[in-house]
Amino acid sequence: MEVLKREGYINGYERVNVKPGIDELRIQLKYHEGTSVITEIYRVSTPGRRVYSSVRDLPRVYNGLGISIISTPAGVMSDHEARKANVGGEILCQVF
């Protein structure tokens, strides 16, 4: 969630305790001219099929207009941040 906030796709989020032992995430979506900033979220890695990529092979989402969220040894970050830090990792999802 922190990556989506840093990249400007959401306004914020909070963890809410619904019942004892059960938490829920409440996400404040960001809107531009009445439409949601997030139009598409696609899950890349699944429990049955993990997708890894080196820094050279990180995919560009819609030619750089969207982002990929990557789990790296340096933490969870966007593909832009991963290229800057020169690390690869598991591709979790793509956001546009």
Side-chain angles (χ1 to χ4, degrees):
M1 289 298 153
E2 196 60 41
V3 174
L4 292 174
K5 188 174 178 181
R6 278 195 313 260
E7 293 291 328
Y9 285 96
I10 62 173
N11 284 329
Y13 65 94
E14 65 179 336
R15 183 178 292 215
V16 178
N17 189 353
V18 179
K19 295 180 185 176
I22 298 175
D23 288 346
E24 194 175 86
L25 283 177
R26 292 211 178 137
I27 302 169
Q28 299 167 353
L29 295 176
K30 192 174 196 177
Y31 290 90
H32 179 69
E33 296 179 0
T35 60
S36 176
V37 173
I38 297 176
T39 57
E40 180 180 318
I41 294 180
Y42 177 73
R43 184 175 178 180
V44 177
S45 284
T46 61
R49 181 177 162 260
R50 303 288 185 188
V51 178
Y52 296 94
S53 178
S54 67
V55 69
R56 289 176 289 139
D57 299 327
L58 285 175
R60 293 196 183 272
V61 180
Y62 291 104
N63 204 20
L65 295 176
I67 63 167
S68 293
I69 298 179
I70 315 292
S71 176
T72 69
V76 178
M77 57 183 72
S78 69
D79 58 337
H80 307 292
E81 296 167 336
R83 284 188 189 91
K84 192 178 201 180
N86 198 28
V87 293
E90 181 182 357
I91 303 171
L92 301 176
C93 66
Q94 295 179 340
V95 181
F96 176 71

